[in-house]
Amino acid sequence: MSKDTVKIEGSRVEKESKSALDELLQEGARRMLQAAVEGEVAEYIDQHQHLRDCAGHRLVVRNGSLPQREILSGVG
């Protein structure tokens, strides 16, 4: 086996482990962002729960969520 073959195989392993690391970082970042947004929404709703219309219905409520989508960042 020549030195060139070892270098090519080594770089392939680096790429595979780098992509696994990138995936792990992306998933961690996604979860952190989701938790932060969920916390902010819950806090906002709690702060405004006293606001009511003339029929007594709350003016600030959570209506649901949109389908999941991909977010691109500097990490990928």
Side-chain angles (χ1 to χ4, degrees):
M1 195 181 280
S2 71
K3 289 182 181 180
D4 292 335
T5 305
V6 172
K7 287 181 184 176
I8 291 171
E9 289 176 2
S11 65
R12 182 177 50 148
V13 169
E14 284 179 23
K15 286 180 184 177
E16 288 175 3
S17 40
K18 185 176 180 181
S19 70
L21 179 60
D22 285 343
E23 288 178 26
L24 181 65
L25 290 172
Q26 288 173 0
E27 181 64 22
R30 185 191 67 75
R31 287 183 183 183
M32 285 180 12
L33 285 171
Q34 184 176 1
V37 169
E38 292 288 334
E40 286 184 28
V41 168
E43 182 180 338
Y44 184 83
I45 291 171
D46 287 343
Q47 288 177 354
H48 296 90
Q49 66 183 346
H50 65 281
L51 299 176
R52 308 269 176 173
D53 64 8
C54 59
H57 299 116
R58 290 175 59 172
L59 293 175
V60 179
V61 296
R62 184 178 184 114
N63 292 328
S65 60
L66 295 173
Q68 186 176 7
R69 61 181 184 216
E70 260 186 59
I71 298 176
L72 295 179
S73 67
V75 179

